[in-house]
């Protein structure tokens, strides 16, 4: 049971300590530190941040390194001093070393290193040096990571568009091609929907009977999708053939070397070069030559108008 809070000093700034991991530093972290800073009219806020070794051992992998997390805290306006490599559990020796008057944190219990489920702040609560802060609902490091994981494919495409290679992102050749093709398919579907809406407006303005319009629209869309599926299948076949060709490359090269065919200039590791990348646009241009079916030609025309 926590004892009564000890009275603060009156002849100097109150030294308040807050600690945490502060991975992907966000406004929820900043608000908690703001509360700690404003605990007293005259507060000196020390913020402890656990090292990578301690964090990975007791909580799990972080996105940011310890140095990045320390530096993020130094740029928060509420923080007066950062204490690197902070301990997971606070004891009297640590309080005395840094002349800490109070420890600020939210009231949720956090497990210590004993494995028995004891609260890491049990000691400071017992001696009356605990100041409670409130968590900010709707934001946490876990929430941010969850958003990224949920929309993983979109962020992969985002970074590929910004110049990262698939190797930088740990994405296979097949995965990259599938993501790009799916995006083109989604773009085309959106354009089909847009055209359907335009037809609806035209039919409405022309006073066409609803049943007549539905029959015409269904027939047009069905014909369009049939042509698209045929072209899409051809494009998929080309991608599969290219992948198989790459996989056969090393075996074919080894056969030529063993049989004595070819010359020394052929040994350029071209079969292993995954950086040669035919874009999806070339596939669409080859198999969707019709301007009405090719989204890239449509986009170019729209930019001109």
């Amino acid at each position: 049971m926590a004892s009564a809070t000890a009275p603060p000093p009156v002849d100097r700034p109150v030294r308040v300590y807050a600690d945490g991991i502060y991975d992907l530093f966000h406004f929820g972290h900043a608000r908690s530190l703001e509360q700690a800073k404003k605990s007293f009219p005259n507060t000196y806020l020390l913020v402890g941040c656990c090292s990578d070794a301690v964090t990975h051992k007791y909580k799990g992998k972080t996105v940011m390194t310890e140095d990045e997390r320390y530096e993020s805290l130094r740029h928060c306006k509420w923080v007066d001093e950062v204490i690197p490599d902070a301990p997971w559990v606070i004891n009297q020796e640590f309080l005395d070393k840094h002349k800490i008057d109070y420890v600020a944190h939210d009231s949720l219990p956090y497990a210590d290193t004993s494995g028995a489920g004891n609260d890491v702040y049990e000691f400071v609560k017992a001696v009356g040096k605990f100041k409670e802060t409130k968590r900010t609902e709707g934001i946490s490091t876990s929430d941010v990571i969850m958003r990224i994981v949920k929309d993983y494919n979109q962020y992969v495409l985002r970074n590929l568009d910004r110049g990262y290679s698939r190797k930088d992102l740990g994405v296979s050749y097949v995965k990259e091609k599938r993501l790009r093709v799916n995006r083109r398919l989604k773009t085309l579907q959106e354009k089909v929907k847009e055209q359907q809406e335009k037809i609806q407006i035209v039919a409405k303005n022309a006073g066409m009977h609803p049943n007549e319009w539905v029959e015409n629209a269904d027939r047009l869309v069905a014909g369009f999708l049939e042509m698209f599926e045929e072209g899409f299948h051809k494009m998929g076949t080309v991608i599969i053939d290219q992948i198989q060709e790459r996989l056969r490359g090393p075996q074919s090269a080894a056969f030529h070397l063993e049989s004595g065919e070819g010359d020394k200039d052929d040994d350029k590791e071209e079969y292993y070069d995954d950086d040669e990348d035919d874009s999806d646009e070339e596939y669409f241009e080859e198999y969707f030559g019709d301007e009405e079916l090719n989204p890239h030609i449509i986009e170019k025309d729209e930019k001109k108008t």
Side-chain angles (χ1 to χ4, degrees), residues 155-171:
Y155 287 113
V156 169
L157 285 169
R158 173 185 182 275
N159 279 12
L160 286 171
D161 291 341
R162 282 160 175 74
Y164 289 88
S165 71
R166 65 175 184 80
K167 293 181 179 179
D168 293 333
L169 302 173
V171 175

Side-chain angles (χ1 to χ4, degrees), residues 78-192:
W78 309 112
V79 179
D80 295 304
E81 180 181 341
V82 175
I83 301 177
D85 195 16
W88 193 261
V89 181
I90 302 169
N91 54 28
Q92 188 62 51
E93 181 182 358
F94 183 80
L95 296 179
D96 294 341
K97 177 181 178 181
H98 296 282
K99 300 178 181 178
I100 296 170
D101 297 308
Y102 297 95
V103 175
H105 207 277
D106 62 75
S107 60
L108 294 177
Y110 289 81
D112 62 11
T113 59
S114 66
N118 297 325
D119 186 4
V120 294
Y121 301 105
E122 183 177 350
F123 165 72
V124 290
K125 290 177 181 177
V127 297
K129 292 193 173 185
F130 185 78
K131 294 292 292 183
E132 181 183 348
T133 58
K134 301 295 183 181
R135 294 176 65 88
T136 300
E137 295 297 330
I139 182 67
S140 70
T141 299
S142 297
D143 289 338
V144 174
I145 293 175
M146 182 188 68
R147 297 177 199 174
I148 297 173
V149 172
K150 181 180 178 182
D151 297 323
Y152 167 77
N153 289 343
Q154 295 183 37
Y155 287 113
V156 169
L157 285 169
R158 173 185 182 275
N159 279 12
L160 286 171
D161 291 341
R162 282 160 175 74
Y164 289 88
S165 71
R166 65 175 184 80
K167 293 181 179 179
D168 293 333
L169 302 173
V171 175
S172 68
Y173 175 82
V174 177
K175 175 74 172 179
E176 179 192 0
K177 291 303 178 186
R178 184 166 66 247
L179 289 175
R180 291 189 183 278
V181 169
N182 287 342
R183 180 169 63 179
R184 299 304 182 194
L185 176 59
K186 183 178 180 181
T187 300
L188 196 55
Q189 289 173 335
E190 291 173 351
K191 290 187 177 295
V192 170

Side-chain angles (χ1 to χ4, degrees), residues 4 9 31 43 56 71 76 94 103 106 116 118 120 133 164 167 171 220-221 225 240 250-252 257:
R31 284 184 176 178
T43 302
H56 296 170
E71 193 64 21
C76 178
F94 183 80
V103 175
D106 62 75
N118 297 325
V120 294
T133 58
Y164 289 88
K167 293 181 179 179
V171 175
L220 290 171
V221 172
L225 292 178
I240 293 174
Q251 298 177 357
S252 177
L257 288 174

